[in-house]
Amino acid sequence: AAADTAKNELSFMPPVAVRGDIARCMFYMVLRYDGTETNTYDLQLTNCPCSTRYALGKLATLLQWHAEDPVDEAERARNERICSDYQNNRNPFVDHPEIVAKLWPADFSDGLCSMDCPAAPSGGGDEEEVERGKGPCVSPGDVAIVGFNSDGIDTIGLVALSPLPAGAQISVTDNAWTGSEWRATEGIAVFTVGADAVPAGSVLAWKADGSSSGAGGTWATEGVSPSLTATGEALLVYQQCEGKSEPNFVFGLDFSPSGWAAAGDVLTSTNSLAPPALVSAGLALALPHKDNYVYSGSTSGTRAALIGNITQVAGWTGDNTQEMVLPAGPFVVEAVAPDGSGGGQCRRLTVEQQRSIQAKGFSPVLCSR
């Protein structure tokens, strides 16, 4: 980066000489677009853009830029040209920069923050970028969504239906999948397994207020946090595995009014195509639209039985006003005989089989016969 710029893995700083110009452009955008017109959004400036939908930037930083880089003749001339040659309107923050302090006084509080953003970059050079989304692969259905809230504090609950290997990274996003790439307008939360495997049955809860939980690993965000809208979303659990360029899709859940998008549909911030790998495996669940849902079915059974229950609409409880409490866990993921024999019937495991299963992170369930 140039000597008067800076960046880290989450944000960047433009050159000093244009920071005030950029701030005043963003002040204009927020003033102009309030979501009252068709196909527009209520744009906002906030001190927590990482957790606020349609937030353009960090307000405190932009106010600092506005003060440190005041309007100059070049900016006034550009404002005049834009008005006379293109838009027929002006940026009032260039003509009257003093109104910024009236709209956003020193004691202004937006009342929107639920979490702090990472620190802004400092200094003049590049900082090392963090590589996310790498690690051992799991199989589709090894992790499933078991609850979410789009009202109040955004929350997404996952359950591990197989042991998650050390170092694995499990991502969940409200980004739309186009069939070949991410639309990349939304957020991503990433759970990274620690030095030891996460046991099957563990519940991993991401929360936008920073109180995420999940024994045996840590949560982080990639770029910005997911921001669930009550009008509906499509959520995808996936990995970017070592040595693979395409996402490894693990589970999908849609709670938008129209369900999963079809080929040729216009993709927005609230819908997505269902990855074919999930559709063919029966792992792309579509729930009737409600703001909040929790899986309320059985929490014990074989991996296959639990997946079958979780992917049935009848196993879910939803509400448009009441926030759901995620399953506390752990789920009991019952083991089956390693040789798969028994025609689906329960059979007694030998001591050696029990020890083998325990060594892989499962808890064997013994049969009565």
Side-chain angles (χ1 to χ4, degrees):
D4 63 346
T5 67
K7 71 175 183 178
N8 60 19
E9 72 274 10
L10 295 176
S11 57
F12 72 93
M13 300 277 264
V16 173
V18 298
R19 289 178 185 174
D21 304 47
I22 292 173
R24 287 178 284 275
C25 288
M26 298 179 83
F27 297 155
Y28 169 85
M29 293 293 290
V30 170
L31 182 67
R32 171 63 182 84
Y33 295 102
D34 59 3
T36 59
E37 298 174 79
T38 304
N39 296 323
T40 65
Y41 299 109
D42 182 11
L43 302 182
Q44 302 182 55
L45 293 176
T46 168
N47 287 323
C48 52
C50 299
S51 61
T52 304
R53 183 176 290 276
Y54 311 130
L56 297 183
K58 191 169 185 179
L59 178 60
T61 300
L62 295 171
L63 292 174
Q64 180 182 353
W65 290 359
H66 171 68
E68 294 177 350
D69 176 30
V71 178
D72 57 21
E73 287 304 317
E75 189 176 0
R76 291 189 184 93
R78 182 173 63 249
N79 191 39
E80 182 65 39
R81 288 196 304 273
I82 290 173
C83 178
S84 60
D85 297 347
Y86 299 101
Q87 294 187 182
N88 296 317
N89 66 339
R90 309 175 67 84
N91 184 343
F93 300 104
V94 175
D95 292 331
H96 300 283
E98 68 276 6
I99 64 176
V100 171
K102 296 185 180 297
L103 292 176
W104 295 287
D107 60 351
F108 175 79
S109 173
D110 52 35
L112 298 171
C113 290
S114 60
M115 63 180 289
D116 291 331
C117 285
S122 60
D126 292 348
E127 297 182 15
E128 182 179 357
E129 295 192 3
V130 176
E131 184 179 50
R132 298 188 186 272
K134 300 294 183 181
C137 264
V138 301
S139 298
D142 279 354
V143 178
I145 297 172
V146 289
F148 63 86
N149 288 310
S150 65
D151 292 331
I153 298 172
D154 286 354
T155 305
I156 303 172
L158 309 178
V159 63
L161 297 177
S162 293
L164 304 181
Q169 292 191 332
I170 309 298
S171 300
V172 58
T173 183
D174 52 348
N175 274 317
W177 177 249
T178 68
S180 59
E181 61 184 1
W182 296 108
R183 188 166 176 266
T185 58
E186 307 290 321
I188 305 170
V190 184
F191 181 81
T192 301
V193 181
D196 298 317
V198 169
S202 300
V203 173
L204 317 172
W206 173 83
K207 295 184 178 182
D209 66 353
S211 63
S212 303
S213 60
T218 56
W219 283 98
T221 55
E222 182 175 348
V224 299
S225 298
S227 183
L228 308 188
T229 174
T231 57
E233 293 278 5
L235 301 175
L236 289 168
V237 181
Y238 71 98
Q239 292 179 290
Q240 196 65 53
C241 302
E242 290 178 339
K244 294 186 177 182
S245 58
E246 293 296 317
N248 176 42
F249 290 105
V250 180
F251 194 85
L253 183 152
D254 183 284
F255 65 100
S256 63
S258 57
W260 292 103
D265 287 352
V266 175
L267 298 181
T268 68
S269 61
T270 61
N271 66 355
S272 172
L273 293 177
L278 296 183
V279 175
S280 62
L283 297 170
L285 173 63
L287 294 173
H289 176 255
K290 290 186 184 297
D291 297 358
N292 316 295
Y293 265 107
V294 66
Y295 170 67
S296 52
S298 174
T299 58
S300 64
T302 64
R303 176 185 181 278
L306 286 169
I307 290 174
N309 291 334
I310 292 170
T311 53
Q312 296 298 313
V313 175
W316 289 76
T317 300
D319 195 90
N320 282 323
T321 57
Q322 180 180 348
E323 294 179 48
M324 297 290 122
V325 177
L326 297 181
F331 284 40
V332 178
V333 183
E334 299 175 356
V336 295
D339 61 7
S341 61
Q345 300 297 314
C346 186
R347 63 189 293 270
R348 185 174 297 279
L349 305 182
T350 67
V351 173
E352 290 75 16
Q353 288 173 334
Q354 294 177 42
R355 289 173 178 169
S356 174
I357 291 173
Q358 286 175 318
K360 295 178 181 178
F362 287 97
S363 298
V365 176
L366 303 182
C367 301
S368 59
R369 53 186 172 80

